[in-house]
Amino acid sequence: MQALVLDEPGCLSLREIQVPDPRPGEVLIRVQAATTCGTDLKAYLRGHPQIPMPGVFGHEYSGIVAAIGEGAPFEVGDAVMGVHSAPCRSCFWCRRGQENLCESIMSTKVLGSYAEYLLIPAHIARANLFHKPAELTFEIASLLEPLSCVAQGIELLNLRSDDRVLIIGPGSIGLMFVAALRLLGIESVTLAGRNRARLDVGERLGAMPSLLSDISGNFDLVIECTGNVEVWERSVDYSRRGGTVMLFGGCPSGTTASFDTKRLHYDQITLVSPFHFGTNAVRTARVWLIDHRMDLSPLISGTRSLDEGESTFEDLRQGRGLKYVFKP
Ligand SMILES: [Zn+2]
Ligand SMILES: [Zn+2]
């Protein structure tokens, strides 16, 4: 089968690799849609600690079951959607209800959705692979993973419907936060950024678009979705006394941020910075995706074939488009 391989930053090649054979509990999927992700772009630009190189690439997917190992809870021909990781459910963190921090969640994940087939390990097939309803397209179903990250973030908050929320960064994650918060009944969602086309998408999803330079403080909740250290630091300026700042975008490793201690303490600003997701967040995201009131189609910028790997990531590098779908 053909698979996109990330050889080194900036270099993707299409290789012929063996179709894996499912062992007990495993599920082999014929990939129907595999969406690009900000994490993949980071890996393409500068490498990523969680994405080995050279290695098969892509982690968002939906597809049709092509073969199963003994005892796997699916049948050949089932349309499925899933995520690329699952917690062990036995380590310290899993037992403490912090599955997103499971000590083996990253080492047992699966990569390689930019390929004709993807083998889902047994523990992921058991916990985080689902039947895809017919009314949900494969393209949108492939968004389950990033939406699970958003659901994990929202799990950490005590949202109120009258909260005034500022989202900084109109990339696909910022836009999914807009869609999720609007679905949850939050009326006042401001989306700040520079990219006009992306702000327009935010407006379609129900946010008030704005340039960050036009914004003054006093939000109940600020959600930072840029992964830029300076923006992390400035996020606190937009929070009201007693507000919450969610630092969602991961910054390059080795970077540090500093904050005004007086503001954090005397204004009692809560900082949260969620990582990845547990099974509960995946279930929440699945319910949202199926809800007809949530329409994430404006996030899909186009369809690409596997031999357009490099040009697709070059487009993303230039800020053209939000998410592309590979249809292998
Ligand atoms: Zn992703
Ligand atoms: Zn664990």
Side-chain angles (χ1 to χ4, degrees):
M1 69 164 177
Q2 294 203 303
L4 262 186
V5 172
L6 179 65
D7 296 305
E8 56 185 84
C11 183
L12 280 168
S13 57
L14 194 54
R15 303 253 186 98
E16 193 62 32
I17 64 169
Q18 189 126 37
V19 179
D21 247 340
R23 292 168 300 181
E26 295 179 339
V27 175
L28 182 72
I29 289 175
R30 178 78 176 87
V31 178
Q32 298 297 308
T35 34
T36 60
C37 173
T39 307
D40 296 340
L41 179 61
K42 280 184 200 166
Y44 177 78
L45 295 179
R46 57 175 190 244
H48 193 282
Q50 300 298 343
I51 299 180
M53 291 179 295
V56 288
F57 197 33
H59 60 271
E60 299 179 8
Y61 66 91
S62 63
I64 293 172
V65 175
I68 53 167
E70 199 189 318
F74 291 90
E75 283 176 32
V76 172
D78 285 352
V80 291
M81 56 202 263
V83 298
H84 69 308
S85 71
C88 74
R89 290 179 155 156
S90 62
C91 74
F92 170 84
W93 289 273
C94 284
R95 284 186 277 114
R96 288 292 186 108
Q98 293 178 310
E99 290 180 345
N100 59 314
L101 301 178
C102 169
E103 59 188 8
S104 61
I105 201 162
M106 280 294 134
S107 59
T108 59
K109 70 184 183 303
V110 60
L111 295 176
S113 64
Y114 302 153
E116 291 175 73
Y117 294 90
L118 179 68
L119 185 68
I120 308 298
H123 72 296
I124 301 176
R126 221 169 26 242
N128 279 340
L129 188 67
F130 308 92
H131 288 101
K132 181 191 78 67
E135 59 274 19
L136 193 65
T137 64
F138 283 105
E139 289 87 339
I140 301 297
S142 174
L143 301 176
L144 184 63
E145 188 267 343
L147 196 60
S148 299
C149 296
V150 168
Q152 180 73 33
I154 286 178
E155 250 179 47
L156 299 181
L157 303 169
N158 293 310
L159 282 175
R160 291 167 48 117
S161 59
D162 60 350
D163 275 346
R164 292 177 64 246
V165 182
L166 170 65
I167 297 169
I168 307 174
S172 52
I173 287 288
L175 292 164
M176 282 191 219
F177 266 110
V178 171
L181 291 168
R182 297 291 287 122
L183 182 73
L184 294 171
I186 311 294
E187 294 286 336
S188 175
V189 179
T190 301
L191 176 66
R194 278 190 297 251
N195 186 317
R196 192 63 242 176
R198 293 179 177 191
L199 290 177
D200 286 346
V201 173
E203 196 168 9
R204 281 170 68 188
L205 296 174
M208 290 170 283
S210 177
L211 287 170
L212 192 55
S213 51
D214 292 344
I215 301 242
S216 53
N218 256 340
F219 287 88
D220 301 291
L221 168 65
V222 179
I223 304 178
E224 188 288 335
C225 303
T226 72
N228 177 312
V229 173
E230 282 167 34
V231 183
W232 269 43
E233 292 175 334
R234 281 174 60 201
S235 296
V236 173
D237 301 341
Y238 303 105
S239 172
R240 69 161 168 83
R241 293 183 67 226
T244 297
V245 175
M246 180 179 286
L247 303 165
F248 192 91
C251 297
S253 36
T255 52
T256 54
S258 57
F259 299 97
D260 179 347
T261 53
K262 178 167 168 280
R263 270 233 78 196
L264 289 191
H265 179 68
Y266 291 98
D267 287 347
Q268 193 187 296
I269 291 173
T270 304
L271 294 185
V272 288
S273 190
F275 169 68
H276 205 63
F277 46 81
T279 52
N280 201 44
V282 180
R283 274 156 183 74
T284 301
R286 183 180 158 274
V287 170
W288 291 347
L289 269 189
I290 291 170
D291 191 315
H292 66 276
R293 292 171 300 164
M294 179 179 269
D295 176 16
L296 295 181
S297 58
L299 270 70
I300 306 285
S301 308
T303 299
R304 299 288 171 90
S305 61
L306 286 183
D307 54 13
E308 296 173 294
E310 270 188 23
S311 62
T312 301
F313 279 94
E314 285 302 320
D315 280 345
L316 291 169
R317 181 213 289 268
Q318 306 287 342
R320 285 192 294 266
L322 282 158
K323 273 181 171 288
Y324 291 94
V325 190
F326 286 109
K327 292 201 167 174

